[in-house]
Amino acid sequence: MSETVRRYRAHLGKGRAALAELLGGEEEVASSGAWVHTDTGRRLLNCGGYGVLIMGSRHPRVVEEVSAQLATHPVSTRLFFEPSMGRAAEALVSVAPAGLTKVHFANSGTEAVEAAVKMARSKGKRKLISAHGGYHGKTLGALSLTAKDAFQRPFQPLLPDVTHVPYGDAEAIRAQLVASPGECCVVLEPVQGEAGVVVPPPGYLKEVSALCQEFGAFLVLDEIQTGMGRLGSWWGADAESITPDVLLTGKALGGGLLPVSAAVATEAAYSEFDRDPFLHTSTFSGSPLGMAAVIGAIAAVEEDGLVDRARHLGAELLPELRAVVTRVLGDHVRDVRGEGLLIGLEFATPDVPTLLMVDLVAEGVVANHSLNEGHVLRFTPPAVLTGSDVAFLLEAVERAATQVARWCD
């Protein structure tokens, strides 16, 4: 037993150790671009990372900004003006949907969700509506919105007045808003990631946005996984030209270097936060080091054209992946779907995605399971994949799928 395995079992949890051992027990020790390196000398194409690495690992633009900040002023007093926070907020607003001009920085996606819920509460919106399959984090408030009983059950009771409706069904939201006009906050993802990459019908978000305006509801768009170019547009909101009251971002916002998230809001939604700087605070939110990562991340996406690159790569990868897995695994495949570089492979049983993930690691590719849907294996590759990377991925998927097919037969 290695020292790392011993430490995991002793201090971090037997379950976490068991997962790593299931995937071969290697230790990841370095990363660069689209690749992660292990202690055995292997390198693996990282198509996992839960949406964090849209610009790959250690992107030079992000490293440059963070290194410069680390060498000068990594943590602020939070009493004086601090220029990196202003620069980061301005950069984020410059790429956000029109009308979103105020920024609250946080450290994780679930913290951004909590901030948005508090903004809604400050406007009298006490009734929360989210969708079945939705994933919004695991702190108690965000967990109330995350629609999975296994995550909620050990920690109940959670927030009151939370309703889950079918995703993609605008009429179900209408019914809730009609019943409680002026009292609701709707929290949705443009594409549900942890539910297994569920893409809603065209026009869904636009219709929900119109309903929220009609019935005085507060709309929060959770783009923590889908934003920063992941879907082939800066935000899922852009695809239907809507502006929510609050847009949430995280994961890729830290440039693959640091944990950073943000709630980007309209002036009206942000008014209570605007008035009182001590109303909602966190010691490390807006830290200069994190802000440098945000500045570098937005610059990297813009300068390298990664939004367009994600769209084009996704359009190439989705049909190729569909062709490979359906040819090799046949009836075991239910669906292959996605938007941009958020791609899901749905299978008839939960055994197949688990086996495929293990065999992919053996073939040199990292993928992710879906926390709210055990039948789906997800690919969230970086937008910096080269042609040879794409070829490597498709060949690895075919070899891994062939191994799974033998087991299934």
Side-chain angles (χ1 to χ4, degrees):
M1 181 192 303
S2 75
E3 281 298 289
T4 299
V5 173
R6 180 190 63 77
R7 289 167 183 145
Y8 263 63
R9 288 180 176 173
H11 307 300
L12 297 172
K14 295 176 182 177
R16 294 186 68 175
L19 175 61
E21 289 175 306
L22 173 67
L23 296 173
E26 293 175 275
E27 300 177 19
E28 54 183 272
V29 295
S31 57
S32 179
W35 297 85
V36 60
H37 301 260
T38 74
D39 62 328
T40 65
R42 284 209 309 149
R43 71 171 195 156
L44 297 91
L45 187 65
N46 192 357
C47 295
Y50 301 97
V52 170
L53 298 169
I54 191 68
M55 68 283 298
S57 181
R58 296 195 300 117
H59 190 286
R61 190 70 168 83
V62 186
V63 171
E64 176 188 6
E65 292 284 351
V66 171
S67 297
Q69 193 67 53
L70 180 62
T72 55
H73 186 51
V75 178
S76 69
T77 67
R78 300 182 61 83
L79 295 175
F80 305 107
F81 289 115
E82 192 282 303
S84 70
M85 191 190 295
R87 287 177 60 209
E90 185 174 69
L92 183 52
V93 167
S94 76
V95 297
L100 299 178
T101 60
K102 298 290 186 177
V103 181
H104 172 80
F105 285 110
N107 304 292
S108 65
T110 193
E111 290 177 60
V113 173
E114 298 285 351
V117 169
K118 290 177 78 172
M119 288 183 202
R121 285 282 183 93
S122 77
K123 302 300 175 184
K125 314 302 180 184
R126 307 292 180 181
K127 181 178 175 61
L128 298 174
I129 302 167
S130 64
H132 294 304
Y135 184 90
H136 304 286
K138 291 175 181 166
T139 52
L140 286 178
L143 181 59
S144 303
L145 294 164
T146 294
K148 185 163 184 178
D149 182 64
F151 295 151
Q152 291 186 343
R153 192 184 314 114
F155 309 108
Q156 292 173 333
L158 302 174
L159 290 183
D161 298 324
V162 180
T163 301
H164 296 105
V165 298
Y167 185 67
D169 185 349
E171 287 305 308
I173 290 179
R174 177 192 287 275
Q176 295 297 320
L177 301 186
V178 167
S180 305
E183 299 178 6
C184 297
C185 170
V186 178
V187 184
L188 294 173
E189 300 159 89
V191 174
Q192 289 188 319
E194 301 297 345
V197 190
V198 180
V199 182
Y204 172 63
L205 292 180
K206 186 177 282 293
E207 187 174 355
V208 170
S209 178
L211 287 171
C212 287
Q213 293 177 37
E214 180 181 353
F215 292 99
F218 195 96
L219 177 60
V220 177
L221 208 57
D222 184 343
E223 299 241 27
I224 290 162
Q225 183 165 174
T226 59
M228 295 290 290
R230 174 61 58 186
L231 299 182
S233 54
W234 263 105
W235 314 100
D238 294 340
E240 297 195 6
S241 302
I242 67 167
T243 298
D245 294 284
V246 182
L247 181 144
L248 306 179
T249 178
K251 294 188 184 294
L253 184 64
L257 260 68
L258 291 167
V260 186
S261 65
V264 194
T266 64
E267 288 200 26
Y270 197 80
S271 61
E272 290 301 312
F273 280 48
D274 210 5
R275 181 185 59 80
D276 184 351
F278 298 110
L279 191 64
H280 184 72
T281 59
S282 174
T283 300
F284 290 103
S285 65
S287 72
L289 204 60
M291 298 301 92
V294 171
I295 293 164
I298 292 171
V301 173
E302 289 187 308
E303 293 166 6
D304 291 359
L306 296 184
V307 175
D308 287 343
R309 183 71 177 145
R311 182 168 61 254
H312 295 313
L313 271 171
E316 176 185 357
L317 274 174
L318 186 61
E320 294 282 2
L321 286 168
R322 181 183 293 118
V324 168
V325 296
T326 53
R327 183 176 70 252
V328 178
L329 288 165
D331 291 342
H332 296 291
V333 181
R334 280 184 179 169
D335 194 15
V336 178
R337 55 181 177 262
E339 194 77 34
L341 291 178
L342 180 56
I343 298 171
L345 280 57
E346 183 177 358
F347 298 96
T349 70
D351 293 333
V352 174
T354 301
L355 290 167
L356 185 57
M357 185 168 68
V358 173
D359 284 324
L360 278 170
V361 168
E363 295 293 343
V365 171
V366 179
N368 287 142
H369 60 291
S370 297
L371 288 176
N372 279 2
E373 178 48 76
H375 291 77
V376 177
L377 185 70
R378 279 186 301 155
F379 291 95
T380 54
V384 299
L385 292 184
T386 65
S388 61
D389 293 338
V390 171
F392 179 91
L393 171 60
L394 294 173
E395 290 165 8
V397 169
E398 181 158 13
R399 289 193 299 270
T402 300
Q403 291 297 322
V404 173
R406 289 172 182 155
W407 181 87
C408 290
D409 293 339

